[in-house]
Amino acid sequence: MRVVLFLGLFLFFLNCEDKQSKKKDSLKAKDTTETVKQVELKKDDIENNSDVFPVLDTKNAMEFFLVYNTKHKENKVRITTDFGAIDILLFDETKFHRSNFIYLTKQKYFDGTQFFRVINNFMIQGGNGDDMATAIKRRKIGKYLLPRDTNRGFKHDRGTVSMPSSDIENPHKLASPYQFFIVQQKGGAHHLNGDYTVFGKVIKGMDVVDKIASVKTDEADWPLQNIYINNVEILN
């Protein structure tokens, strides 16, 4: 009788421990997107430089940056790398792309990302990384695309900053907002005109762009030695 009772109690506690273990397993960090999506897009919050922003998606991004643009008028940034600094002027005419870059800069998104695709005498492409931190930052900010804005008269001259299209196939070449490329090619890369949005230009540091463009790369154009963007900051 005692053996049966003991066995019953043992199974009871074992079952309890098993449930507790499953509970602990279920206490995973809640996806930030689930929490932040509850935040409404409020003009006052954006204009007052609030740190509370909605997770962006392709449906709300345009409205968000339209409002964000009314308050955040900065248009100069500095990209600092181990090769030196690159100063960029962002064009007011491409307001969604300018606002997007300023927003991501203030969110510290670019810090720690890389110039991950380098083709000498063509361009250097940055804003991505092969680490989990970059993926986490993207998840917190949101998954969205921006439309092309190619009718402002800007061409892919040497030193211009443009936004690549998404790696997701889309007929309208919607832009990937987390990445950018700088044209390094002498004489420009005008075959890109009309397909990608030029939204800025290098005003200082093209020698740094040339240094980065000259590094050795693998077959996928990824530099053999990682080229990190240490930080991007707003210039007054």
Side-chain angles (χ1 to χ4, degrees):
M1 183 68 180
R2 289 182 179 177
V3 174
V4 175
L5 180 61
F6 174 77
L7 184 59
L9 288 172
F10 174 76
L11 292 174
F12 172 76
F13 285 118
L14 186 64
N15 187 47
C16 288
E17 285 185 3
D18 184 55
K19 287 182 179 178
Q20 283 291 91
S21 176
K22 288 180 179 178
K23 262 190 178 181
K24 288 179 181 178
D25 287 342
S26 68
L27 292 176
K28 298 177 182 178
K30 190 175 183 181
D31 191 338
T32 311
T33 58
E34 295 302 317
T35 301
V36 188
K37 276 182 180 175
Q38 307 302 318
V39 180
E40 295 179 3
L41 185 62
K42 296 180 180 179
K43 185 175 181 180
D44 289 343
D45 285 341
I46 300 173
E47 291 187 343
N48 292 330
N49 227 355
S50 170
D51 290 331
V52 181
F53 294 116
V55 169
L56 298 178
D57 56 37
T58 301
K59 291 182 179 179
N60 69 12
M62 296 298 286
E63 180 188 357
F64 174 83
F65 288 119
L66 187 63
V67 177
Y68 193 82
N69 178 70
T70 63
K71 186 67 176 180
H72 301 265
K73 296 294 187 180
E74 301 92 338
N75 65 353
K76 292 187 182 72
V77 298
R78 173 169 293 159
I79 300 172
T80 302
T81 74
D82 289 338
F83 287 75
I86 305 168
D87 291 354
I88 291 173
L89 171 68
L90 302 173
F91 299 145
D92 293 330
E93 292 87 342
T94 51
K95 59 185 176 183
F96 292 109
H97 298 75
R98 181 199 64 79
S99 297
N100 172 74
F101 202 92
I102 292 297
Y103 177 65
L104 294 181
T105 296
K106 290 185 176 183
Q107 295 296 311
K108 303 295 183 184
Y109 166 74
F110 294 113
D111 299 4
T113 59
Q114 302 174 37
F115 280 105
F116 64 95
R117 185 171 180 237
V118 170
I119 303 176
N120 198 17
N121 197 31
F122 180 34
M123 61 91 217
I124 62 174
Q125 186 169 339
N128 203 351
D130 55 1
D131 61 321
M132 185 59 69
T134 300
I136 291 173
K137 284 191 284 188
R138 286 191 181 198
R139 188 178 67 188
K140 288 182 177 180
I141 295 170
K143 184 177 181 180
Y144 61 103
L145 300 174
L146 292 177
R148 284 183 299 171
D149 192 357
T150 57
N151 297 317
R152 306 294 178 178
F154 302 122
K155 301 184 183 303
H156 286 83
D157 298 326
R158 172 175 161 83
T160 53
V161 184
S162 188
M163 192 171 290
S165 61
S166 167
D167 56 1
I168 302 171
E169 290 295 328
N170 66 86
H172 303 294
K173 288 187 180 292
L174 298 179
S176 175
Y178 293 108
Q179 298 179 25
F180 63 94
F181 65 89
I182 301 174
V183 177
Q184 185 253 348
Q185 184 172 333
K186 294 178 180 178
H190 296 141
H191 62 286
L192 303 177
N193 295 341
D195 285 337
Y196 308 97
T197 301
V198 175
F199 66 98
K201 67 178 181 180
V202 174
I203 54 177
K204 184 179 180 182
M206 273 307 294
D207 59 323
V208 177
V209 174
D210 289 333
K211 288 178 185 176
I212 293 173
S214 67
V215 303
K216 293 182 178 180
T217 62
D218 62 18
E219 293 180 355
D221 303 318
W222 193 295
L224 296 181
Q225 183 176 354
N226 288 337
I227 302 174
Y228 288 99
I229 295 174
N230 297 329
N231 74 291
V232 178
E233 60 185 313
I234 307 291
L235 297 179
N236 295 326

